[in-house]
Amino acid sequence: MIGRLLVANRGEIARRVIRACREAGVSPVAVHADPDAGEPHVREADASVRLPGEHPADTYLRADLLVAAALASGADAVHPGYGVRSENAAFARAVLDAGLTWVGPDPEVIAAMGDKVAAKRVMRQAGVPVLPDLDPATADRFPLLVKASAGGGGRGMRVVREAAELAGQVDAAGREAACACGDGRVFCEPLLEGARHVEVQVLADRRGAVWALGERECSIQRRHQKLVEETPSPAVGPELRERLCAAAVRAARAIGYTGAGTVEFLLDDSGAFHFLEVNTRLQVEHPVTELTWGVDLVAWQLAIAEGAGLPDAPPTPSGHAIEARLCAEDPERGWRPAHGVVRRFHVPGDVRVDSGVEAGSAVGVRYDPLLAKVIAHGPTRAAAVRKLAAALERAELHGVATNRDLLVAVLRHPAFGRGDTHTGFLEQHRADLLGTRPVDVRHAALAAALARSAHRARALPAGWRNLPSQPVRVAFEHRGERVEVDYLRTRDGIATSLDVEVVAVGPDVVRLRRGGVETAWPVTHYPPPDPSGEPGPGDRVEVGPVTLTPLPRHPVPERRAPRGTTTAPMPGVVVRVEVAEGATVAEGELLLVLEAMKVEHRVRAELAGVVTAVPVAQGRSVAEGDVLVVLAPAGPAGTADPADPATPADPEEQP
């Protein structure tokens, strides 16, 4: 029996495993890198072990540190959570060699399935349908998909549509795979456009029993990473479900699988399915299976590791479950990672919330952007989707930009409601999904302006007036756009140019009436407004689901970087620098590569010119706005143009 368990992970999955430990009577131990010392998973464990450092490669990915932490804390077992470490055979062997219990499949199974090329060979022999392999050096069949042999979670995957792109994309996929997975090997296979991503949850004990707990559809994806998952799939009927589950059971038995795992397939329009991979671990989307089948997969992982056997048959599924991943990213800015401090995190309604953050949590750029998973269950698909959409719409997520609005737009989209989903759904419906607002931003801005005026009124002397006959104009920024509102206080109340009536104004709640319908707008200020009314650095106003940045009434002098100065679009780490001082570059040429939240971001030249300064180097961490490369725009002959000097005296002083 397991007495004390080290959870070799962080965030949401660490909290999930700790919860299962509590219910099973097992003492949980957490590990943490330095930035995570105050995070919820550390506080919720019975004990914690520090992993000195900040970067994942120096902390959570160090097998030796994790094993040492388990031994030092008195743990007798290790649960890897999910992610790269959970599918690392060497880590599993190190745990077992230390005399500890490994909560997962045998290292030999992990190694066999960790090499996706070798895994496909095994599946062919087991009679599981598999896509053909394409050699990256000779592939001539397009479009194709470059994949990391040891990758997962969309890392190291690239779509290639033309032969001219292949070599560059293979290199990029290899680098990203090496960074995220520690293994840069890649392979290619045909790209099935318009296919669905369908997977089967399996659970197997050491006595040979294998359960197939239905299928999950995970077709709503960005960058080959899942955003919305549900079970059962709207495209799978009883006969197809039987064939999928039978193939998954054959796959599990062919490799001698034990514990919880997932067999992933691509499903095309004809109903044919093709093996993708076996994930030898718990999946992020496991809660939808738990809610539908009435099982606790983490509890079963622990029990199977202790030698327990499965009953003869699994329970009977009921209803429909759907999950959405809340991520710290901005879909409207190219899925740019977001960072900052979570000021408030509250999701209402009859939903399950598996979260890695809470109010006060810091969100950095070194880890995956997943903040939380919100899961709804209902008697039908429509009921579950409606419940999830309503919970997300009403959620209070303050401090960090998220993909919440996009998730709501997906759930409310007619095509999604019909079940017409596939892996290209977001691209196909991009125009409908991006820019969708759950509320009128102008009304939110008016509520924010009035609430800030109520704060000022508390600090000003009684009877204070300043041009009361003139309307007050207030400006905010919302997702890069300027939003202006005005209002005028009269003897009869407050007049505004918007089509709403102001009913009541307070510093924290403003009530507006439109068309006979009165709405309360909760307003939260971070930090509280200055009595002068002028916003300070970092000021934010959260009005319901809308985040606004107050803008000053008068233009603020700003220092502009000279033309040709390229700055960091986000915080990150410089992975590779492609240019040196004195080099001549063309417009659009790659300058360097940043890595943020485990994803590579390519920074390209906005104009042609000569490189005059490169104040960064490989491995350096940069903040948003840091100068990366400085170009002198090219003159008529392709040389630096003396009439347009672009090199600052000190690049570090530029914004």
Side-chain angles (χ1 to χ4, degrees):
M1 299 292 289
I2 297 172
R4 173 166 270 206
L5 178 85
L6 181 96
V7 185
N9 218 304
R10 65 182 296 279
E12 172 265 324
I13 183 56
R15 300 183 77 186
R16 170 70 183 92
V17 176
I18 290 170
R19 187 167 71 247
C21 286
R22 294 291 183 212
E23 294 172 357
V26 175
S27 173
V29 179
V31 291
H32 67 87
D34 289 338
D36 288 340
E39 290 305 296
H41 79 277
V42 178
R43 296 198 314 272
E44 293 169 1
D46 285 345
S48 64
V49 180
R50 176 187 175 225
L51 305 175
E54 297 183 0
H55 197 280
D58 302 325
T59 54
Y60 297 107
L61 298 183
R62 287 276 301 274
D64 57 336
L65 294 183
L66 295 172
V67 172
L71 295 173
S73 65
D76 49 21
V78 173
H79 192 302
Y82 41 63
V84 176
R85 187 53 59 203
S86 64
E87 294 183 290
N88 186 289
F91 179 43
R93 288 194 187 99
V95 169
L96 293 171
D97 289 345
L100 304 170
T101 297
W102 169 254
V103 181
D106 294 337
E108 293 74 20
V109 173
I110 297 174
M113 294 298 99
D115 185 333
K116 290 183 172 56
V117 175
K120 291 172 71 172
R121 287 198 297 267
V122 174
M123 292 304 127
R124 286 193 187 96
Q125 295 171 359
V128 178
V130 177
L131 285 170
D133 295 331
L134 304 175
D135 187 340
T138 60
D140 58 359
R141 178 178 173 181
F142 298 92
L144 58 77
L145 189 63
V146 181
K147 302 177 70 173
S149 182
R155 310 302 180 196
M157 295 181 68
R158 295 288 191 281
V159 174
V160 181
R161 300 189 179 279
E162 299 178 359
E165 304 174 352
L166 183 57
Q169 295 289 30
V170 166
D171 289 344
R175 286 192 306 271
E176 186 171 293
C179 177
C181 313
D183 187 334
R185 293 175 300 142
V186 300
F187 68 99
C188 301
E189 62 185 19
L191 175 66
L192 296 184
E193 296 189 283
R196 295 174 183 259
H197 187 133
V198 177
E199 62 191 28
V200 177
Q201 175 71 59
V202 295
L203 197 61
D205 64 23
R206 294 193 173 276
R207 305 174 188 179
V210 180
W211 285 357
L213 299 177
E215 84 287 346
R216 297 186 289 250
E217 174 151 342
C218 313
S219 297
I220 305 300
Q221 303 178 359
R222 54 91 173 90
R223 293 197 301 258
H224 310 290
Q225 292 178 294
K226 305 162 189 173
L227 287 179
V228 179
E229 302 104 338
E230 59 183 310
T231 186
S233 165
V236 176
E239 187 272 335
L240 178 56
R241 179 170 298 115
E242 184 176 348
R243 290 193 289 122
L244 278 166
C245 290
V249 170
R250 287 200 305 275
R253 287 187 170 143
I255 59 177
Y257 197 83
T258 55
T262 306
V263 186
E264 302 201 351
F265 301 96
L266 281 179
L267 176 66
D268 63 29
D269 291 339
S270 70
F273 56 88
H274 311 272
F275 172 81
L276 278 177
E277 62 182 333
V278 174
N279 283 307
T280 54
R281 56 177 168 84
L282 197 67
Q283 290 280 88
V284 177
E285 56 272 19
H286 74 273
V288 296
T289 297
E290 292 186 325
L291 291 179
T292 304
W293 288 79
V295 298
D296 185 324
L297 291 173
V298 181
W300 269 115
Q301 284 186 298
L302 300 177
I304 290 171
E306 293 177 331
L310 294 167
D312 292 337
T316 302
S318 175
H320 195 100
I322 184 167
E323 169 183 296
R325 301 190 191 189
L326 277 170
C327 299
E329 60 189 11
D330 190 343
E332 295 186 23
R333 302 178 71 186
W335 304 98
R336 179 178 296 182
H339 64 99
V341 176
V342 178
R343 303 296 184 185
R344 179 162 170 75
F345 185 89
H346 174 65
V347 182
D350 179 25
V351 292
R352 169 175 163 177
V353 181
D354 286 9
S355 169
V357 300
E358 60 184 16
S361 293
V363 178
V365 296
R366 296 190 182 277
Y367 306 112
D368 190 274
L370 178 67
L371 299 176
K373 306 175 309 194
V374 183
I375 313 100
H377 180 265
T380 64
R381 181 176 188 265
V385 170
R386 180 176 62 187
K387 186 185 293 187
L388 179 58
L392 290 172
E393 282 179 327
R394 297 169 55 209
E396 297 176 35
L397 311 171
H398 298 177
V400 179
T402 73
N403 62 342
R404 183 262 305 275
D405 291 353
L406 175 92
L407 294 173
V408 172
V410 168
L411 296 171
R412 298 291 196 197
H413 197 279
F416 185 86
R418 295 191 300 268
D420 294 339
T421 59
H422 53 83
T423 54
F425 185 92
L426 293 184
E427 286 301 315
Q428 178 183 356
H429 300 288
R430 180 183 179 87
D432 298 334
L433 299 173
L434 295 183
T436 302
R437 301 287 182 264
V439 298
D440 192 318
V441 175
R442 297 171 305 160
H443 295 168
L446 176 62
L450 293 171
R452 291 175 73 82
S453 73
H455 267 279
R456 288 199 305 275
R458 288 178 169 180
L460 295 174
W464 185 89
R465 293 160 63 85
N466 182 20
L467 298 177
S469 62
Q470 298 300 312
V472 177
R473 176 161 295 176
V474 184
F476 300 91
E477 180 184 316
H478 176 66
R479 292 187 172 176
E481 298 180 0
R482 185 181 179 91
V483 182
E484 289 189 351
V485 293
D486 56 63
Y487 61 90
L488 177 65
R489 296 185 183 275
T490 69
R491 292 182 178 179
D492 299 324
I494 300 176
T496 175
S497 59
L498 300 181
D499 57 343
V500 292
E501 176 186 352
V502 179
V503 178
V505 174
D508 303 312
V509 178
V510 174
R511 306 188 71 86
L512 303 177
R513 183 184 295 127
R514 181 187 184 192
V517 178
E518 186 174 312
T519 303
W521 292 81
V523 183
T524 308
H525 313 263
Y526 300 106
D530 187 273
S532 69
E534 282 299 294
D539 276 11
R540 296 289 186 274
V541 186
E542 304 283 348
V543 188
V546 178
T547 299
L548 300 165
T549 301
L551 297 176
R553 287 174 291 179
H554 307 291
V556 176
E558 59 177 327
R559 297 178 62 192
R560 293 184 177 274
R563 182 170 175 247
T565 302
T566 301
T567 58
M570 67 197 76
V573 177
V574 178
V575 175
R576 196 174 72 263
V577 179
E578 292 284 351
V579 296
E581 290 187 26
T584 300
V585 299
E587 181 179 349
E589 186 172 336
L590 182 64
L591 299 177
L592 53 78
V593 179
L594 287 178
E595 187 266 324
M597 289 186 169
K598 298 184 180 180
V599 177
E600 282 192 356
H601 302 269
R602 298 187 163 204
V603 179
R604 299 184 179 276
E606 296 183 358
L607 48 81
V610 177
V611 178
T612 60
V614 185
V616 296
Q618 182 175 331
R620 173 176 164 178
S621 296
V622 296
E624 184 173 354
D626 282 358
V627 174
L628 303 176
V629 177
V630 181
L631 298 175
T639 59
D641 186 353
D644 188 10
T647 306
D650 182 358
E652 294 292 336
E653 292 183 359
Q654 299 303 314

